[in-house]
Amino acid sequence: MKITDDQDFHYLKNKLNNPNIFIFLKNLSFEIRHSTFLAWLFDAEASHGKGTLFLELFFDSIGEEKPPDDEKFEIKREQLNIDILIISKTRVIVIENKLEAKDSEGQLKNYREKIEKKFLGLKIIFIYW
């Protein structure tokens, strides 16, 4: 049998070609750590040194147009009990990051009401991961 016919070989090859830092760190089910890491990536001033690169890639992935260079974003964690808030003068992106936890009753409705009240007049985008 050739190695390329082996199922284990294909499984490992696929895993190595699609790395996931949370798998490597054995950190798959810790929602707070995921959210903290994502917020760090989205923060243009963070120590990763990539500026707005990750935020721009995120915008592209959700079908939102790339922010202009002068649009500044504030990245908040656990504000109003929401996992990640991305706030500018024109828009707010609300990210509810779910891994294994279940929604509490009315959770998303309550988040929507809080955000729409607090950020009246801004474009609001809700993301449920």
Side-chain angles (χ1 to χ4, degrees), residues 37-95:
F37 180 70
L38 290 168
W40 175 76
L41 287 175
F42 295 151
D43 185 352
E45 303 298 319
S47 61
H48 52 65
K50 297 298 179 188
T52 60
L53 174 67
F54 298 111
L55 192 57
E56 290 173 17
L57 291 169
F58 172 68
F59 273 46
D60 186 53
S61 76
I62 63 170
E64 187 69 11
E65 69 180 60
K66 178 184 168 194
D69 290 338
D70 64 342
E71 187 173 8
K72 302 294 180 209
F73 290 90
E74 189 175 1
I75 312 299
K76 299 277 192 179
R77 282 275 301 111
E78 293 300 327
Q79 182 99 10
L80 304 170
N81 293 326
I82 295 168
D83 294 326
I84 303 171
L85 280 174
I86 302 172
I87 307 165
S88 79
K89 291 182 180 182
T90 62
R91 56 185 147 183
V92 177
I93 300 173
V94 179
I95 301 174

Side-chain angles (χ1 to χ4, degrees), residues 2 5 8 19 26-27 30 55 68 78 88 111 119 124-125:
K2 296 188 302 188
D5 293 334
D8 290 335
K26 298 198 184 311
N27 203 357
F30 295 99
L55 192 57
E78 293 300 327
S88 79
Y111 289 172
F119 296 102
I124 302 172
I125 301 162

Side-chain angles (χ1 to χ4, degrees), residues 19-27 37:
N20 180 330
I21 191 167
F22 299 112
I23 290 172
F24 294 135
L25 296 175
K26 298 198 184 311
N27 203 357
F37 180 70

